[in-house]
Amino acid sequence: GYQRPVELATVRLRNMVEVLGRWSTYVANPTKLAQRGGTFLFDADGAALYEYRHRGVLTYSSTMSRPLTFLAPHIGHKALNPLQLGDAAVARQASQSSAEALVSPVP
């Protein structure tokens, strides 16, 4: 969905507050923070579950229209709309999933 500039700025500010508020959780060793444009997801043992690197500064996902979709295998549909803003596309997808569950045969 399209977001007006103020809405987009609000989402980015919320993301920044989340990261800065939990900086020591996200960055255990600041001397190892060299990648500027990218996203990394690690498991408890430190193995990479997801990795995206970009040469730019403001791009952190291969799908910037929905930058957290890489989390869907780990947290489900919440990755599509983590701030739970009004989003018709997510609502349609959720209702389709519910409808499919109703007509699926029980094993």
Side-chain angles (χ1 to χ4, degrees), residues 4-93:
R4 295 178 294 244
V6 173
E7 292 169 329
L8 183 58
T10 301
V11 170
R12 287 184 174 169
L13 180 61
R14 286 180 181 170
N15 289 340
M16 183 180 68
V17 167
E18 162 72 19
V19 170
L20 293 177
R22 299 175 187 221
W23 185 256
S24 61
T25 301
Y26 293 129
V27 182
N29 184 350
T31 62
K32 304 291 183 191
L33 189 64
Q35 183 70 33
R36 292 181 64 181
T39 300
F40 304 90
L41 178 64
F42 301 98
D43 66 11
D45 298 323
L49 298 174
Y50 174 83
E51 182 176 310
Y52 173 78
R53 297 173 189 260
H54 190 267
R55 293 183 184 174
V57 176
L58 296 176
T59 302
Y60 52 88
S61 173
S62 59
T63 55
M64 285 301 292
S65 63
R66 294 203 182 272
L68 299 178
T69 55
F70 73 93
L71 288 173
H74 308 284
I75 65 171
H77 289 290
K78 185 174 180 171
L80 299 178
N81 190 3
L83 298 176
Q84 299 186 5
L85 302 173
D87 189 332
V90 171
R92 276 194 307 274
Q93 185 175 2

